[in-house]
Amino acid sequence: MAEKLDLNLIRKDFPILDQQVNGSPLVYFDNAATTQKPQVVIDALNRYYTQDNANIHRGLHTLAERATTGYELTRTKLKDFLHAPSTDQIIFTSGTTAGINLVAQTYGRANFTAGDVILVSNLEHHSNIVPWQMIAQETGAEVQVIPVDELGVLDMVAYQSLLTDRVKLVAVNHVSNAIGTINPIKQMIDWAHRVGAKVLIDGAQSVAHFDIDVQALDLDFFVFSAHKLFGPTGVGVLFGKRELLETMPPYQGGGEMIKEVSFSGTTYNELPYKFEAGTPNIADVYAFGFALDYLASLPKNAVWEQEKALLDYATEQLSQIDGLRIVGQAPEKIAVVSFVIDGVHPQDIGVLLDKFGVAIRTGHHCAQPLMARYDLVGTCRASFAFYNTKEEIDLFVKALKRCLMMLS
Amino acid sequence: MINQTQDELIEEFGLFDDWADKYEYLIDLGKKLLPMSESFKTEDNVIKGCQSKVWLHAEKQGDLVVFQADSEAIIVKGMISMLIRVLSNHTPEEIIKADLYFIDQIGMSQHLAQTRSNGLVAMVKQMKNYAVAFSAIA
């Protein structure tokens, strides 16, 4: 098991990492916002547009055939990646947000009525709150919130008591984007199913870190974005159970999603095309397949060990800074460290760190209810990927100490 | 004169060669910003579009517009301090017509780009809006 990642080799796969920013070597610790792309993904994008570009599914010519095959091949790879029962339960969207909105506007509109409850958690990103508030307002359903404790762990006792037969859907993230908590989704799904509720898991922050088995988890809906999984921006994935997807009305109308159109009525296409109106993001979907191949080629345990080592080392180094407090200390966390420093606004840290070549995220991380829970205006968040190194953490901590000297 | 103050700021920042020193000076300006009266730190006075909270209050004293402002973030306070030094205590007409070239010429425009989109533009716009409002009343 002693297999370790050869970081020198791995970093060469991500050309963007090798550059100077503001005169210092780039330290990219904003992986929870988006991950960098391996050369194979960049090459695939280039190859698609230089050799294969055509519109998919209807063209009879060779390029259309190649483009269609490339696009659908990614769907097949995703079926394996998610351990899904079939490719037609894999729907391409533009991102996590689009996937959640799709479920809210189709499943939600068809199934929620006045008095129903949609359960979200206090850890959610705005994109897993606002779409539910919007559909709740339309249908008379109510959004209720699973509380979170001081450490950043969901209150499972409260969850249990919130789970009444009024709950139609539980929408929670697998991993908190702001503070890194890993939620016990298997248990949450089982409990929800016992009261007849469906579950949507926002996997935006988890797919880059764990194996996902949608069947073992008995997931109803799972959504994530390619760009947080070393793939291109503008591609998202929605997995859904067949019986749910089949009974859901279409989302957007247009080409591709239809079977037959006449002015007396239109019939809709089969899954997954029913939900893929219009020309999709063919090039990026195609290139995303190469990100999945790249990940599959890495030794999974070694990736996990590397991320764990980075989390532990960063936590230890940051904890030694006077006045620094780590926000989110759940026992189960991904490689994300969110922190605040007494008397210093996160924005000042973010601005100055950038001058030292260090990219982190500052602010509310699109999780204002969570910031309000901890009475914070925001945090500084360093988020790691397997291509990051301990040496980069040293550069980051040194830069942070210099920033604090400048600000004091 | 607005331009004279701008030229002074350009000269002051010209004394520093590297970005870290310029930032330290900016932070220093932020620390020295005259405190804003707590009674003006209202929700109405918050400027939207900034990552940190920024409050701006304006009043007319005689013919002149006087600004007070504050922020939770020190670098933003430094920018506020410069804007107040340049624009406060001038007539509405002078403020409306002011071309704020110092922002590009203190040698930090590349560095300020990020906070600029985050708040500097919103602050300047709000200060000019006050000037327009006061000139309309007059």
Side-chain angles (χ1 to χ4, degrees), chain B residues 84-124:
Chain B
I84 287 184
R85 193 163 141 197
V86 171
L87 292 179
S88 197
N89 282 304
H90 288 278
T91 65
E93 287 66 32
E94 287 171 327
I95 295 167
I96 293 165
K97 277 190 282 177
D99 165 25
L100 297 179
Y101 56 83
F102 81 97
I103 296 168
D104 285 321
Q105 291 186 21
I106 56 174
M108 294 184 76
S109 55
Q110 176 210 339
H111 294 294
L112 291 179
Q114 164 193 9
T115 32
R116 169 187 299 219
S117 52
N118 240 314
L120 195 57
V121 167
M123 272 188 273
V124 171

Side-chain angles (χ1 to χ4, degrees), chain A residues 22 345 347-348 350-352 354-356 362-363 377 402 406-408, chain B residues 19-20 23-24 27 31 51-52 72-76 110-111 114-115:
Chain A
N22 297 321
H345 195 279
Q347 187 186 6
D348 287 324
V351 169
L352 290 180
D354 173 60
K355 308 309 163 219
F356 290 104
T362 60
V377 294
R402 279 202 60 188
M406 289 174 72
L407 289 165
S408 67
Chain B
W19 70 265
Y23 260 93
E24 266 169 325
I27 290 163
K31 286 177 186 161
Q51 199 184 94
S52 53
E72 298 168 323
I74 195 76
I75 292 170
V76 175
Q110 176 210 339
H111 294 294
Q114 164 193 9
T115 32

Side-chain angles (χ1 to χ4, degrees), chain A residues 331-347:
Chain A
E332 299 291 325
K333 265 181 75 172
I334 58 153
V336 162
V337 186
S338 221
F339 61 93
V340 290
I341 297 174
D342 287 345
V344 183
H345 195 279
Q347 187 186 6

Side-chain angles (χ1 to χ4, degrees), chain A residues 78 91-96 99 224-226 232-238 285 288:
Chain A
L78 280 163
I91 292 151
F92 287 117
T93 66
S94 64
T96 306
F224 66 96
S225 301
T233 54
V235 176
V237 174
L238 161 66
V285 166
F288 179 35

